[in-house]
Amino acid sequence: MGQQASDVVIVGGGPVGMGLAIELGQRGVSCVVIERYAQPQPIPKGQNLTQRTMEHFHCWGVEKAVRAASPIPVDFGIGGLTAYGTLLGPYHYDWYQRVIVRPYYFRDNERLPQYDTEAALRARAAELPEITTLYGWTAQEVTQDAAGVTVTAASADGQTRQIRAQYAVGCDGARSLVREQAGITQTSSDHESRMALLVFRSKQLNELLAHFKGKSFFNVLHPELDGYWQFFGRVDTGETWFFHAPVPVGTTRENFDFHAYLEGVVGAPFDCDFKHIGFWDLRVAVADNYGAGRLFIAGDAAHSHPPYGGYGINTGFEDARNLGWKLAATLQGWAAPGLLATYSEERQPVFVSTARDFIVNYIEDDRAFLRAHDPQRDREDFEKAWAVRASGVSAEIQSFEPNYESSSLMVGAAGGATGAVGSHSFKARAGHHLAPQILSGGRNVFEELGAGFTLLAFDAQAPHVAAFEAAAKAHGVPLKIVYDTSGEGRGAYEARLVLVRPDAFVAFAGGAPAPDAATIFATAIGG
Ligand SMILES: Cc1cc2nc3c(=O)[nH]c(=O)nc-3n(C[C@H](O)[C@H](O)[C@H](O)COP(=O)(O)OP(=O)(O)OC[C@H]3O[C@@H](n4cnc5c(N)ncnc54)[C@H](O)[C@@H]3O)c2cc1C
């Protein structure tokens, strides 16, 4: 049996595991990734990547490759549409227009099949000497002791290996071995719905939907489906599509006419050639803690849910970004002992809120709407209610703003609860994502952020800046200081001093009276 040592072992090299490996590798942390499959699996799945995810990709050096791999040209459009009854019926409105919140992020959103994203992440990981990948290996056992963790893995041809590391992270999907062997419990709600996942080719469907300019995904609400979606997504701009929707319990590939079902959802006949027919159970599950001792979980291993709203892969990448700098700080000796526990403290409530306030809320809200309004029963009432729904869509996008307001790492946060409901603002607020602004030299603030903490000093008093510098030095924390005037767009931060964490969240914002830099730093690193 071969043996290998590393700082971190990552079980699962799907999108989240590879993102975490890059985050760690770029920070000089050695890691081994164990991934069952030699190649990414050919199901398009998580295609909608948010502006925030593209910020991660910018930092991870994969943005260019990911955009180049997208089969949807920028001028084609990646917006969404919701329809009632059938896709070609008379009732529809624009949906999920992420462009509304674009000014609050540094990068544009993107859309491409998950396997292409995974391929780009794998290629980037191959460039980093700190990352060792074991593709085609399956983790079988994960144990921990006072000094570290041991993961036993086997290859398809029967070889076994033990990997010893300081920490292990399970990015091993919804049926996570690491979660199970760490003894981490989950809270789940089963919706008892069987969902079909279809990938198919149809040029005719492309022609039928050609008048929906700029749209790449389509959601059909049907009165008989109790709020569960019939969801089409483009895989490319020509002929490839994916679709998921509830099907009767007991449905198999053989006993159900998927083609007729699709035509019913669209409301017109069209040719189609199936590439994949699969199933998944609609369930929302969240781990009660994202860590146990030296073992952590991230991505679908920590939270699994229906792909309503495109939260899965995007939430997983944010997990990786949050955990990555905390693991690096701990391994490099500049974290306080409590820092790693704040990964779960910050990320778990964000998913609980994402599930409750967005995903389940969509289902319940659609269900209530479909029960209350029916154009066959009362057309005028339906059309009025439909128009109200259409006008509420942008509010949903605005209010999805994951934040860590009650995190123990924050000084001077507004005092709300950590969760996914917030508001987008240019003001720098402790516990919230930093909004981009242009510096007087013409570069974006995000281009100047350091790998460690960054202090934005906008016409700040020299002794205040010196106090932050001294506090960082005392704790051995890497700190970059960006000096500028407080004029132009930077005034919108409403703060002379903004302390930004390695994940681009604000740890502190203020200026007068003189901030207690020593306490702010000690708190921000888990003191
Ligand atoms: C139809 C559909 C559409 C979706 N659309 C979206 C969307 O638009 N936007 C969005 O954000 N999300 C979407 N999602 C969700 C998204 O696909 C998942 O959230 C995402 O794949 C999670 O990534 P992950 O790396 O955490 O887990 P996974 O993708 O499940 O990866 C886990 C990896 O671990 C490996 N593994 C597991 N066990 C072991 C082991 N013991 N040893 C070694 N390797 C192991 C697996 O092979 C796999 O590669 C969609 C999902 C579906 C099903």
Side-chain angles (χ1 to χ4, degrees), residues 11-17 34-37 45-48 114 118 137-139 171-174 177 197 242 244 280 298-301 305 307 310-314:
V11 178
V16 175
I34 304 171
E35 166 54 45
R36 175 180 290 143
Y37 293 114
K45 296 205 293 186
Q47 298 198 86
N48 276 331
Q114 186 167 313
E118 290 183 41
W137 287 73
T138 299
C171 299
D172 46 350
L177 171 93
L197 169 60
F242 88 93
H244 55 79
W280 49 280
D300 277 18
H305 51 88
Y311 295 111
I313 202 170
N314 294 297

Side-chain angles (χ1 to χ4, degrees), residues 189-499:
S189 61
D190 200 335
H191 286 249
E192 286 169 15
S193 228
R194 185 160 172 77
M195 310 292 285
L197 169 60
L198 314 175
V199 182
F200 62 95
R201 286 202 184 94
S202 174
K203 280 195 176 132
Q204 284 184 346
L205 181 58
N206 196 39
E207 286 154 20
L208 285 170
L209 302 185
H211 61 289
F212 290 134
K213 297 263 181 267
K215 302 289 178 280
S216 281
F217 50 100
F218 307 86
N219 172 29
V220 182
L221 300 180
H222 195 281
E224 283 168 17
L225 289 183
D226 231 15
Y228 298 113
W229 295 355
Q230 296 172 315
F231 190 98
F232 285 98
R234 285 185 183 281
V235 179
D236 55 38
T237 55
E239 57 176 0
T240 319
W241 299 87
F242 88 93
F243 174 81
H244 55 79
V247 286
V249 176
T251 298
T252 65
R253 282 188 188 88
E254 292 75 29
N255 69 7
F256 191 79
D257 187 346
F258 293 100
H259 189 177
Y261 186 58
L262 286 177
E263 289 182 334
V265 180
V266 173
F270 57 91
D271 290 346
C272 99
D273 169 23
F274 289 102
K275 287 174 72 181
H276 173 86
I277 298 176
F279 300 94
W280 49 280
D281 293 322
L282 200 148
R283 180 178 307 124
V284 179
V286 56
D288 297 318
N289 199 309
Y290 285 9
R294 292 174 175 274
L295 305 178
F296 297 90
I297 49 176
D300 277 18
H303 41 79
S304 59
H305 51 88
Y308 285 17
Y311 295 111
I313 202 170
N314 294 297
T315 303
F317 286 133
E318 191 72 57
D319 295 342
R321 193 83 192 277
N322 188 294
L323 180 58
W325 75 265
K326 292 173 181 175
L327 279 170
T330 304
L331 286 159
Q332 290 162 358
W334 54 270
L339 186 65
L340 278 176
T342 68
Y343 164 60
S344 187
E345 182 201 327
E346 292 187 339
R347 295 301 302 155
Q348 200 263 4
V350 165
F351 183 75
V352 169
S353 163
T354 302
R356 179 190 59 223
D357 302 319
F358 294 89
I359 299 169
V360 174
N361 193 41
Y362 288 141
I363 299 170
E364 290 176 354
D365 195 52
D366 290 346
R367 179 178 298 157
F369 172 84
L370 292 167
R371 286 179 184 169
H373 309 285
D374 181 344
Q376 310 285 350
R377 224 167 38 222
D378 184 343
R379 193 166 149 183
E380 200 181 322
D381 160 77
F382 175 87
E383 289 183 353
K384 234 192 238 164
W386 187 252
V388 170
R389 281 176 74 80
S391 64
V393 172
S394 54
E396 273 168 30
I397 296 277
Q398 288 279 7
S399 66
F400 181 73
E401 192 260 331
N403 64 79
Y404 312 136
E405 272 208 1
S406 59
S407 164
S408 59
L409 301 183
M410 302 299 162
V411 171
T418 291
V421 180
S423 60
H424 285 82
S425 171
F426 290 111
K427 187 176 172 185
R429 299 166 294 169
H432 293 258
H433 172 257
L434 180 78
Q437 286 295 345
I438 301 298
L439 295 166
S440 46
R443 281 164 70 81
N444 197 294
V445 168
F446 272 70
E447 293 173 277
E448 291 297 325
L449 295 178
F453 278 76
T454 304
L455 182 68
L456 304 176
F458 297 137
D459 288 329
Q461 294 182 34
H464 296 176
V465 177
F468 275 93
E469 239 176 333
K473 208 168 168 196
H475 292 286
V477 177
L479 176 70
K480 177 176 178 184
I481 302 178
V482 175
Y483 294 94
D484 208 331
T485 65
S486 57
E488 302 166 42
R490 296 174 300 282
Y493 286 136
E494 296 182 31
R496 294 285 165 103
L497 289 164
V498 182
L499 184 65

